[in-house]
Amino acid sequence: MTQFNLTRRSMLAGAAIAGAIGPLVSASFAAANEEVAPVTNPTDLSSLERVKVELVKPPFAHPHTQKADGPPKIVEFTLTIEEKKMILDDQGTEVHAMTFNGSVPGPLMVVHQNDYVELTLINPDTNELQHNIDFHSATGALGGGALTVVNPGEKAVLRFKATKAGVFVYHCAPPGMVPWHVTAGMNGAIMVLPREGLTDGHGKELAYDKIYYVGEQDFYVPRDEAGNFKKYDSLGESYSDTLEVMRTLTPSHIVFNGAVGALTGEAAMTAAVGERVLIVHSQANRDTCPHLIGGHGDYVWATGKFRNPPDLDQETWFIPGGTAGAALYTFEQPGIYAYVNHNLIEAFELGAAAHFKVTGDWNDDLMTAIVSPAGI
Ligand SMILES: [Cu+2]
């Protein structure tokens, strides 16, 4: 492997781990990196069809078929890393975010089992830091992290075979401060569908009419002596204060899709009564427990892996940190539904909530008001 070019910028990332537990993890990273042998017998994939996919911003997913429409393909994606200032709430709280393609979470990629994912990772020279990508769906070399370390002004192309079916997290995991990058927003998800599409594990097909991708993110914004959120001129400047807050394990914000209210009101996810909606939900750093208020998870893969039969009729499902989960629900009543992390403090006080706006006819059989609230 080529030695990494240490620039002033990558030194900044390296300095971040001094004196922390980070070196333990970094040492294994370096070892893994050295153990990666050059490719001596390249696999001949020239007979496979190539498909280039344009990614879209969450909560939406790029067009895809639920069943594979032929033999495995090479599916090409491009992610451009964007370090950017983002506003987290109505009070104008700022974070110097690190993103894939400019959004938190990064876009949802969809392929089928045994397809090849070919990712071009671009780190423009306008960025400050070194980055990479670790796909939980990939096998070897730190999920691709060891093969994709890119300094500002560099790009890398990674190919891996998507052998496991399910929804999986991807995230940045550079030789420097991994949790800083992940909790600054640098994560997303990939969905590897079984070639025959989703099933209930007993032969019943489970198609969906709509898919939404919710990425839950914990942020750790430092406060000043007066308790107000601090603002910084750059990522580097925000680092040491942010690390101090991170070490308390107490997020200042826990949000869906990058900001408090990013998926509510006008930006609510929509559905109609009778529509089967697949909700993909990821949390790259922290446990979470999604709940649809007034609805259910008809079929839930809480840890997101489609070879396991889904759990039925769930009220709340547990997604461990570093995991993506999926829930399929057919809406049966119209109205506004809150979709929350059912740690309700995290939902109501810190921001982990979204809305579904569902149209259609009310079903009196399922629910009706016998006596509306009135004086006794
Ligand atoms: Cu990064």
Side-chain angles (χ1 to χ4, degrees):
M1 291 296 294
T2 344
Q3 286 296 308
F4 298 133
N5 217 357
L6 277 185
T7 64
R8 185 190 62 77
R9 286 163 170 164
S10 60
M11 286 299 286
L12 176 62
I17 57 170
I21 195 85
L24 298 175
V25 185
S26 291
S28 55
F29 182 100
N33 200 38
E34 279 163 18
E35 283 164 15
V36 175
V39 178
T40 49
N41 295 306
T43 315
D44 181 11
L45 302 179
S46 56
S47 62
L48 299 192
E49 184 188 348
R50 281 184 170 271
V51 184
K52 198 181 183 75
V53 171
E54 293 300 324
L55 291 166
V56 302
K57 191 180 171 197
F60 305 106
H62 62 81
H64 58 273
T65 60
Q66 294 178 43
K67 295 181 184 184
D69 55 5
K73 299 173 180 173
I74 302 170
V75 187
E76 299 175 15
F77 299 99
T78 297
L79 286 177
T80 301
I81 297 158
E82 197 180 334
E83 298 168 1
K84 63 191 288 197
K85 196 155 69 178
M86 292 178 73
I87 304 297
L88 294 183
D89 55 28
D90 287 348
Q91 289 75 52
T93 305
E94 292 179 359
V95 69
H96 286 274
M98 307 183 211
T99 72
F100 290 107
N101 276 14
S103 64
V104 176
L108 181 72
M109 304 174 193
V110 185
V111 300
H112 289 90
Q113 192 172 12
N114 293 327
D115 280 348
Y116 293 83
V117 174
E118 194 167 291
L119 174 80
T120 301
L121 183 66
I122 298 171
N123 190 1
D125 62 8
T126 43
N127 287 336
E128 283 186 61
L129 300 178
Q130 187 180 68
H131 301 281
N132 69 353
I133 190 163
D134 166 357
F135 281 98
H136 289 189
S137 51
T139 306
L142 307 175
L147 304 181
T148 53
V149 179
V150 278
N151 288 310
E154 294 180 343
K155 71 173 182 180
V157 182
L158 172 73
R159 190 184 69 217
F160 71 90
K161 189 173 186 177
T163 55
K164 309 283 188 198
V167 281
F168 296 83
V169 162
Y170 64 79
H171 63 89
C172 186
M177 190 44 166
V178 176
W180 182 35
H181 287 243
V182 174
T183 58
M186 229 174 154
N187 60 82
I190 181 168
M191 179 162 75
V192 183
L193 286 165
R195 299 199 77 76
E196 69 278 19
L198 299 179
T199 67
D200 70 349
H202 306 285
K204 181 183 170 189
E205 290 185 7
L206 296 175
Y208 47 88
D209 301 307
K210 274 190 164 174
I211 177 171
Y212 287 111
Y213 171 38
V214 176
E216 183 170 336
Q217 181 70 56
D218 43 330
F219 286 108
Y220 301 81
V221 183
R223 296 175 187 268
D224 62 20
E225 297 75 25
N228 299 315
F229 289 119
K230 290 174 80 170
K231 295 182 194 291
Y232 299 89
D233 288 333
S234 70
L235 248 180
E237 198 195 307
S238 72
Y239 171 69
S240 60
D241 287 354
T242 304
L243 181 59
E244 224 170 282
V245 183
M246 285 163 55
R247 285 181 174 161
T248 67
L249 299 174
T250 308
S252 58
H253 298 73
I254 300 177
V255 300
F256 291 170
N257 290 31
V260 177
L263 298 176
T264 63
E266 290 293 296
M269 297 174 280
T270 60
V273 168
E275 271 190 319
R276 303 162 297 180
V277 179
L278 186 71
I279 307 167
V280 175
H281 190 124
S282 68
Q283 222 304 5
N285 189 62
R286 214 170 170 276
D287 300 344
T288 186
C289 40
H291 171 84
L292 180 66
I293 301 178
H296 302 94
D298 291 339
Y299 299 92
V300 177
W301 297 265
T303 59
K305 306 308 170 277
F306 296 137
R307 287 183 66 206
N308 304 298
D311 291 318
L312 308 180
D313 302 339
Q314 298 293 290
E315 59 176 311
T316 298
W317 43 102
F318 178 71
I319 300 179
T323 303
L328 183 63
Y329 183 56
T330 302
F331 282 93
E332 297 185 70
Q333 297 277 40
I336 304 290
Y337 291 71
Y339 173 76
V340 299
N341 171 342
H342 209 291
N343 178 323
L344 297 171
I345 301 163
E346 298 183 353
F348 285 83
E349 298 299 319
L350 298 190
H355 286 158
F356 279 95
K357 188 177 179 185
V358 181
T359 53
D361 294 328
W362 183 262
N363 181 341
D364 258 343
D365 184 43
L366 286 173
M367 184 182 284
T368 196
I370 302 298
V371 178
S372 294
I376 300 167

PDB file of all heavy atoms in Angstrom, residues 98 130-132 172 174 181 186, ligand 1:
ATOM      1  N   MET A  98     -19.736  17.235   9.127  1.00  0.00           N
ATOM      2  CA  MET A  98     -19.015  16.534   8.071  1.00  0.00           C
ATOM      3  C   MET A  98     -20.055  15.627   7.413  1.00  0.00           C
ATOM      4  O   MET A  98     -20.776  14.909   8.105  1.00  0.00           O
ATOM      5  CB  MET A  98     -17.886  15.695   8.654  1.00  0.00           C
ATOM      6  CG  MET A  98     -16.946  16.478   9.559  1.00  0.00           C
ATOM      7  SD  MET A  98     -15.584  15.414  10.120  1.00  0.00           S
ATOM      8  CE  MET A  98     -15.254  16.131  11.736  1.00  0.00           C
ATOM      9  N   GLN A 130      -8.955  14.823   6.420  1.00  0.00           N
ATOM     10  CA  GLN A 130      -8.867  13.530   5.754  1.00  0.00           C
ATOM     11  C   GLN A 130     -10.118  12.719   6.141  1.00  0.00           C
ATOM     12  O   GLN A 130     -10.565  12.788   7.279  1.00  0.00           O
ATOM     13  CB  GLN A 130      -7.620  12.849   6.323  1.00  0.00           C
ATOM     14  CG  GLN A 130      -7.205  11.565   5.701  1.00  0.00           C
ATOM     15  CD  GLN A 130      -5.941  11.037   6.400  1.00  0.00           C
ATOM     16  OE1 GLN A 130      -5.981  10.650   7.568  1.00  0.00           O
ATOM     17  NE2 GLN A 130      -4.836  11.037   5.692  1.00  0.00           N
ATOM     18  N   HIS A 131     -10.638  11.948   5.188  1.00  0.00           N
ATOM     19  CA  HIS A 131     -11.838  11.137   5.460  1.00  0.00           C
ATOM     20  C   HIS A 131     -11.701   9.784   4.763  1.00  0.00           C
ATOM     21  O   HIS A 131     -10.786   9.570   3.950  1.00  0.00           O
ATOM     22  CB  HIS A 131     -13.093  11.834   4.932  1.00  0.00           C
ATOM     23  CG  HIS A 131     -13.345  13.200   5.513  1.00  0.00           C
ATOM     24  ND1 HIS A 131     -13.901  13.394   6.747  1.00  0.00           N
ATOM     25  CD2 HIS A 131     -13.101  14.451   5.009  1.00  0.00           C
ATOM     26  CE1 HIS A 131     -14.009  14.689   6.994  1.00  0.00           C
ATOM     27  NE2 HIS A 131     -13.523  15.360   5.952  1.00  0.00           N
ATOM     28  N   ASN A 132     -12.654   8.898   5.050  1.00  0.00           N
ATOM     29  CA  ASN A 132     -12.746   7.627   4.330  1.00  0.00           C
ATOM     30  C   ASN A 132     -14.162   7.090   4.496  1.00  0.00           C
ATOM     31  O   ASN A 132     -15.057   7.806   4.933  1.00  0.00           O
ATOM     32  CB  ASN A 132     -11.685   6.627   4.825  1.00  0.00           C
ATOM     33  CG  ASN A 132     -11.948   6.152   6.239  1.00  0.00           C
ATOM     34  OD1 ASN A 132     -12.849   6.645   6.927  1.00  0.00           O
ATOM     35  ND2 ASN A 132     -11.166   5.189   6.679  1.00  0.00           N
ATOM     36  N   CYS A 172     -17.808   7.411   8.115  1.00  0.00           N
ATOM     37  CA  CYS A 172     -16.400   7.758   8.005  1.00  0.00           C
ATOM     38  C   CYS A 172     -15.670   7.173   9.211  1.00  0.00           C
ATOM     39  O   CYS A 172     -16.209   7.134  10.314  1.00  0.00           O
ATOM     40  CB  CYS A 172     -16.250   9.271   7.979  1.00  0.00           C
ATOM     41  SG  CYS A 172     -14.555   9.810   7.678  1.00  0.00           S
ATOM     42  N   PRO A 174     -11.786   7.602   9.814  1.00  0.00           N
ATOM     43  CA  PRO A 174     -10.433   7.926   9.375  1.00  0.00           C
ATOM     44  C   PRO A 174      -9.405   7.588  10.453  1.00  0.00           C
ATOM     45  O   PRO A 174      -9.783   7.343  11.590  1.00  0.00           O
ATOM     46  CB  PRO A 174     -10.499   9.437   9.164  1.00  0.00           C
ATOM     47  CG  PRO A 174     -11.491   9.895  10.169  1.00  0.00           C
ATOM     48  CD  PRO A 174     -12.511   8.794  10.282  1.00  0.00           C
ATOM     49  N   HIS A 181     -15.958  12.326  13.598  1.00  0.00           N
ATOM     50  CA  HIS A 181     -16.490  12.345  12.236  1.00  0.00           C
ATOM     51  C   HIS A 181     -17.917  11.783  12.196  1.00  0.00           C
ATOM     52  O   HIS A 181     -18.788  12.312  11.526  1.00  0.00           O
ATOM     53  CB  HIS A 181     -15.580  11.549  11.301  1.00  0.00           C
ATOM     54  CG  HIS A 181     -14.287  12.246  11.003  1.00  0.00           C
ATOM     55  ND1 HIS A 181     -13.927  12.652   9.736  1.00  0.00           N
ATOM     56  CD2 HIS A 181     -13.260  12.613  11.815  1.00  0.00           C
ATOM     57  CE1 HIS A 181     -12.725  13.233   9.776  1.00  0.00           C
ATOM     58  NE2 HIS A 181     -12.308  13.215  11.036  1.00  0.00           N
ATOM     59  N   MET A 186     -21.212  12.245   9.621  1.00  0.00           N
ATOM     60  CA  MET A 186     -20.651  11.527   8.475  1.00  0.00           C
ATOM     61  C   MET A 186     -21.047  10.058   8.474  1.00  0.00           C
ATOM     62  O   MET A 186     -20.243   9.158   8.748  1.00  0.00           O
ATOM     63  CB  MET A 186     -19.130  11.671   8.491  1.00  0.00           C
ATOM     64  CG  MET A 186     -18.636  12.094   7.128  1.00  0.00           C
ATOM     65  SD  MET A 186     -16.924  12.444   7.075  1.00  0.00           S
ATOM     66  CE  MET A 186     -16.681  12.102   5.327  1.00  0.00           C
TER      67      MET A 186
HETATM   68 CU    CU B   1     -14.628  11.935   7.928  1.00  0.00          CU
END
